Amino acid sequence: MDRPVAGPGPATGGLTLAAVLHAGLPLFSRTQRLPRYQWKILSAIQRCRTPALGGHRYRCGQCGREHFVAHGCGNRHCPQCQGAQAFDWLERQRAVLLPIPYFHVVFTLTHALNPLIWQNRRTLYQLLFDSASQTLLQFGRQRFQAQIGVTAVLHTWGQKLGGHYHLHCIVSGGGWALNGSGWVSSGPHYLFPIQALSKVFGGKFRAGLQALYAQGKLAFHGEVAALARPTAWTAFGQMLQRQKWVVYAKRPFAGPEQVLAYLSRYTHRVAISPRRLLALTETAVTFSYKDYADGHRRKALTLALPEFVRRFCLHLLPERFVKIRHYGLLSNRQRQERIAQVRAALGVPAVPVPTQPTVATHAESLPRCPYCGAQALIWIEEVPRPRRHTPVPIIDTS
C-alpha cells in the first residue's frame, strides 16, 4: 500500500513540484536518461527556497522572533520563482502598450507532429515562431499596408502534461504605415480572416519542414525512424496537408490593461502549478486538470511518478531558447524609438521604461513573519549557500 510522502521545498503545508520530483526522479532514472541541462533544471527546482541556496535571516519588529528566508532558484521552469519575474517583465511591457485595440490569436500544431517535435524541439519551436509571425506580418502588410506589432508566447503542454504545441500571440489592431505616413487602425472588432490565416500558416510551416528535411536538419529516432526514408517522408507530408491547421482568434481585449492582465497569467506560466497537485504517494502523483471536452469540468488524474517526470521533462525548454518574442513594430531593435513615434502620432504621452527590476516586488524582499504575520521585519544577515554540494533537504510538509 502506497503511503503519502513529503519532499523538499518551503514548509507551507502544501504539496510542491519539488516534492514530486524528489520522489519521482529516483524511480525515473532507473530506466531513463536526461540531458545534463535538464538535470540541472530539476535540481534547481528541488533546491528552490531551501537552505541549499542560502538566504537571509530576519528578526520580526513586532514579536521579536528570528527566522530564515531561503533564496529562490530563479529558474524559468520553477513555479515558485515566476511571480516576481513576471511582474518585472510586465512593467517593461507597460511602456510599449498603446491606446489601441489588441487581438489574441492562437496558432496550434497538429498532434500528428508531436513525436517529431520531441526529437527536434529547438528546430521545430523555431519553425513555429517563424511561421506564425511571418503569417501575421504578411497579413498586416496586405490588409493595412502597415507594420503591425506581435508578441508571441510559446506553450508546449496540455492539461494532462501531454504535448500541445501552440503560440499565444497578442497582435496590435493596426500598425505604422509602410510609407511612413502615420498610424493605420484596424477597428475594434475584426483583424484578419481566420480561415485564410490557417491556410497560410499551415503552408508556411509545411514548407519550412520540407526545407529542414532537405537540408538534413531533422533527427529521426525510435518511432519516427522510418520518416528518414524519402517515401515515408513524402507520405507524412501528404498526411500533414490533410490535417486541420488550427488558428483561433479569441475575443478582442477591452484595452491595454486587459492585455497586461492576460499576459501576467500566460507569459511566465510553467507546465504545472503547485495548486494543481493534489496527492503524492511513494509511486504515484495525482493532479487536477480541466477537461475541455466535458464542459471544462475539473477532474483528477493519477500518474505513476516516472511517467509524471517524463511528461514534465517534455516541457523543459532547450538551453537559452527564448519563449517570449516580439515582432514587427515591437521587435527589439529600435523598439522604443518606433513606439515613441506612434505615441506622438496618436497624441498620447510616453510611459517611463523601468531601467532595472523592481526589487520590492520580489517574494524574498517582502517576507512575512511566519509567527505573527507582520511585515515589520529587520534584516540581520545574509546566509550564503554552502560551499560544498549538499543533499536536497527533506522538509516534512504533512
Side-chain angles (χ1 to χ4, degrees), residues 59-65 67 367-377:
R59 179 185 299 111
C60 179
Q62 182 164 305
C63 70
R65 301 179 72 174
H67 71 284
R368 289 184 177 274
C369 175
Y371 306 106
C372 70
Q375 282 188 303
L377 300 180

Side-chain angles (χ1 to χ4, degrees), residues 55-59 66 68-69 378-384:
H56 292 82
R57 193 174 303 281
Y58 294 90
R59 179 185 299 111
E66 294 185 5
F68 172 77
V69 178
I378 302 170
W379 181 85
I380 300 176
E381 63 177 344
E382 180 173 355
V383 181

